């Protein structure tokens, strides 16, 4: 039992969250490439990616595995990326245009 669920149910939930993250990440990546802001899907991507990493730590383990190290790195990178996104949410210029300085780092984040 993990958090009151069977291991199979917990694994299904973990995989489902992961697939939602992958799908939303692909849509967000193509939105960035085409110059379209998809704020809601970006939030879904970041949230599900964090949830995937966090739920990965819920599985039973005896010692620190490479997957745990990757999960820790992923959570740190996501935290930094989320802070960067919320602190400078594509600055709007006087002419109404937006800065695209976050576009390529965001695309690389989706690819990771």
């Amino acid at each position: 039992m993990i958090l009151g669920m069977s291991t199979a149910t917990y694994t299904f939930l973990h995989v489902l969250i992961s697939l939602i993250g992958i799908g939303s990440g692909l849509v967000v990546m193509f939105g960035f490439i085409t110059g379209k802001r998809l704020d809601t899907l970006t939030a879904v991507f970041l949230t599900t990616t964090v949830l995937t990493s966090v739920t990965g730590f819920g599985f039973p383990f005896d010692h620190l595995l490479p997957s745990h190290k990757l999960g820790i790195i992923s959570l740190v990178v996501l935290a930094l990326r989320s802070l960067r996104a919320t602190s400078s949410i594509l600055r709007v210029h006087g002419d109404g245009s937006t800065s695209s300085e976050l576009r390529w780092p965001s695309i690389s984040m989706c690819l990771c």
Side-chain angles (χ1 to χ4, degrees):
M1 296 287 282
I2 304 170
L3 298 175
M5 294 180 258
S6 70
T7 303
T9 302
Y10 187 81
T11 302
F12 176 77
L13 182 64
H14 173 76
V15 171
L16 182 64
I17 293 168
S18 177
L19 291 174
I20 292 169
I22 290 168
S24 62
L26 288 172
V27 173
V28 168
M29 181 180 66
F30 288 116
F32 279 139
I33 290 171
T34 60
K36 296 178 183 170
R37 286 186 58 180
L38 304 170
D39 294 335
T40 302
L41 277 177
T42 300
V44 169
F45 167 70
L46 291 172
T47 302
T48 54
T49 305
V50 168
L51 285 174
T52 299
S53 293
V54 169
T55 57
F57 288 104
F59 291 101
F61 62 95
D62 295 327
H63 60 281
L64 189 65
L65 299 171
S67 58
H68 297 119
K69 294 175 185 175
L70 185 62
I72 292 167
I73 292 168
S74 176
L75 287 171
V76 169
V77 169
L78 284 165
L80 293 173
R81 175 65 186 99
S82 296
L83 288 173
R84 171 103 169 108
T86 56
S87 66
S88 63
I89 305 220
L90 294 174
R91 295 177 191 90
V92 176
H93 303 291
D95 61 356
S97 64
T98 58
S99 171
S100 61
E101 70 183 39
L102 293 178
R103 183 176 297 166
W104 291 110
S106 297
I107 290 171
S108 65
M109 183 66 195
C110 290
L111 295 175
C112 291

